[in-house]
Amino acid sequence: MSTSGASRSDDYESVLSGSSKDVASFERKRSWLENVQHLLHSHPSLVPLIVLAASIIIFGLYLGSRFMSAFALTLILQQVAIVGIVGAAQSLVILIAGIELSVGAIMVLSSVVMGQMAMNVGLPAPVAILIGFGVGALCGTINGFLVAWVKLPPFIVTLGTWQIFLATNFLYSANETIRSQAIEQEAPLLQFFGESIHLGGAVLTFGVIAMVLLVLGLAYALNNTAWGRHVYAVGDDADAAELSGVQVKRTILSVYILAGVICAFAGWVLIGRLGSVSPTSGQFTNIESITAVVIGGISLFGGRGSILGMLFGALIVGVFNLGLRIVGTDPQWTYMLIGFLIIGAVAVDQWIRRASA
């Protein structure tokens, strides 16, 4: 009996020793197209970066030194500085699966408050600027409270507050522009971000430098802090994020408040860009910021994208604007091409999202 058992044991061992030791795998081999899809899903800013580089090369080859010069390229940066800053605020909101239609109104209202407080009320410029930032934070708090606690749809909330903030701006300013000469004499700090430094043929305004630093700072915060991880988690699946311990309401509120403060900062930069305080400026900044976000590869469904991509998206629009202007084409062609870019960017986003399905 024991001899028979030992024999069976030896047979089992001999069969086992000769068998394959490979671990069973149920993963099918990806095609090259699926590999591209997963690469773009992991690096969402890669598509707008490629488009930006290609557009610069194409215009550079066609227009030569008229386009490929230090002055022309830094001019693009100057033209997109406001949209880049407001787009940073828009990016944060869209990353949590929201939308912010009132960004332009907050920017202009904050700039008007800064100008009125410094020029008409007579407060020191630093105090006026702080009050303007407070207005931006208050506007963001209103939006965040209505979205997070009252549970109203972000589109409806910000569509309504866009009209409210814009009307407040016109009523408070009496639709009057504060001239640049008066600001230069009494509150030059308001024009700080309009000043520039020259590096060879390049002209960099402080507003451009501020935009780049802001985007880099937010990119670091989103990728390397708990708050940034919470932002992505809320945008990807708010219910799952709450079950995992994320304070969803507080995260949403913090994003809207920060977006409001960034818009107020954009209002300060806007004064430097224009030199004056105009209640009618920045009428389409909300649409322009959404355009930069979409072309930059940030998903409108939330939870995926890079704020660096938004900057690339804004620069793509700037390159097309300047390039086609130098060519001498009708401005409507620019709008048409941007329209195609928006639709194409959303189509690519839908294709990339299938990689995570």
Side-chain angles (χ1 to χ4, degrees), residues 40-46 48 91-92 94-96 218-219 222-223 228 231-232 235-236 293-294 296-310 349 352-353:
L40 296 179
H41 183 266
S42 303
H43 302 86
S45 62
L46 196 56
S91 299
L92 294 175
I94 289 180
L95 281 173
I96 59 169
L218 288 174
L222 287 170
N223 293 314
V231 168
Y232 279 105
D236 188 49
V293 168
V294 172
I298 296 179
S299 175
L300 289 173
F301 299 96
R304 195 187 70 82
S306 165
I307 200 165
L308 289 174
M310 177 282 303
D349 174 64
I352 292 174
R353 281 176 66 86

Side-chain angles (χ1 to χ4, degrees), residues 3 23 25 32 65 82 88 92 96 99 115 122 126 132 134 137 158 175 237 239 263 265 291 296-297 357:
T3 304
V23 178
S25 175
W32 69 270
S65 60
I82 302 299
L92 294 175
I96 59 169
I99 194 75
T158 57
N175 206 18
D237 190 331
D239 293 333
C263 289
F265 178 64
T291 299

Side-chain angles (χ1 to χ4, degrees), residues 12 61 130 273 279 289 319:
Y12 173 77
L61 291 174
L130 287 176
R273 173 73 177 160
S289 67
V319 167

Side-chain angles (χ1 to χ4, degrees), residues 63-82:
L63 297 172
S65 60
R66 287 188 296 165
F67 182 84
M68 290 298 290
S69 66
F71 176 78
L73 294 177
T74 51
L75 179 61
I76 294 171
L77 287 170
Q78 293 177 41
Q79 291 174 341
V80 305
I82 302 299

Side-chain angles (χ1 to χ4, degrees), residues 5 59 76 157 212:
F59 278 115
I76 294 171
V157 168
V212 173

Side-chain angles (χ1 to χ4, degrees), residues 190-334:
L190 293 179
Q191 298 175 333
F192 172 76
F193 287 104
E195 297 179 15
S196 60
I197 56 176
H198 296 256
L199 300 171
V203 181
L204 291 173
T205 64
F206 291 155
V208 169
I209 297 172
M211 173 193 68
V212 173
L213 293 177
L214 173 67
V215 170
L216 292 177
L218 288 174
Y220 177 84
L222 287 170
N223 293 314
N224 297 280
T225 67
W227 175 80
R229 290 188 288 272
H230 292 172
V231 168
Y232 279 105
V234 170
D236 188 49
D237 190 331
D239 293 333
E242 190 162 20
L243 289 174
S244 64
V246 175
Q247 298 288 333
V248 173
K249 290 182 179 179
R250 291 183 182 179
T251 301
I252 292 174
L253 181 62
S254 70
V255 165
Y256 276 97
I257 292 175
L258 181 56
V261 172
I262 293 173
C263 289
F265 178 64
W268 185 10
V269 177
L270 179 66
I271 298 174
R273 173 73 177 160
L274 300 177
S276 60
V277 176
S278 173
T280 60
S281 59
Q283 296 290 320
F284 301 104
T285 311
N286 54 350
I287 303 301
E288 292 170 346
S289 67
I290 295 173
T291 299
V293 168
V294 172
I295 296 177
I298 296 179
S299 175
L300 289 173
F301 299 96
R304 195 187 70 82
S306 165
I307 200 165
L308 289 174
M310 177 282 303
L311 180 57
F312 297 150
L315 289 171
I316 289 170
V317 176
V319 167
F320 274 93
N321 275 328
L322 182 62
L324 293 177
R325 192 183 311 161
I326 294 174
V327 171
T329 60
D330 191 306
Q332 301 307 319
W333 285 106
T334 305

Side-chain angles (χ1 to χ4, degrees), residues 27-46:
E27 282 191 15
R28 65 181 181 85
K29 189 175 181 180
R30 293 175 184 166
S31 67
W32 69 270
L33 194 61
E34 288 174 321
N35 285 330
V36 171
Q37 189 179 20
H38 279 267
L39 174 65
L40 296 179
H41 183 266
S42 303
H43 302 86
S45 62
L46 196 56

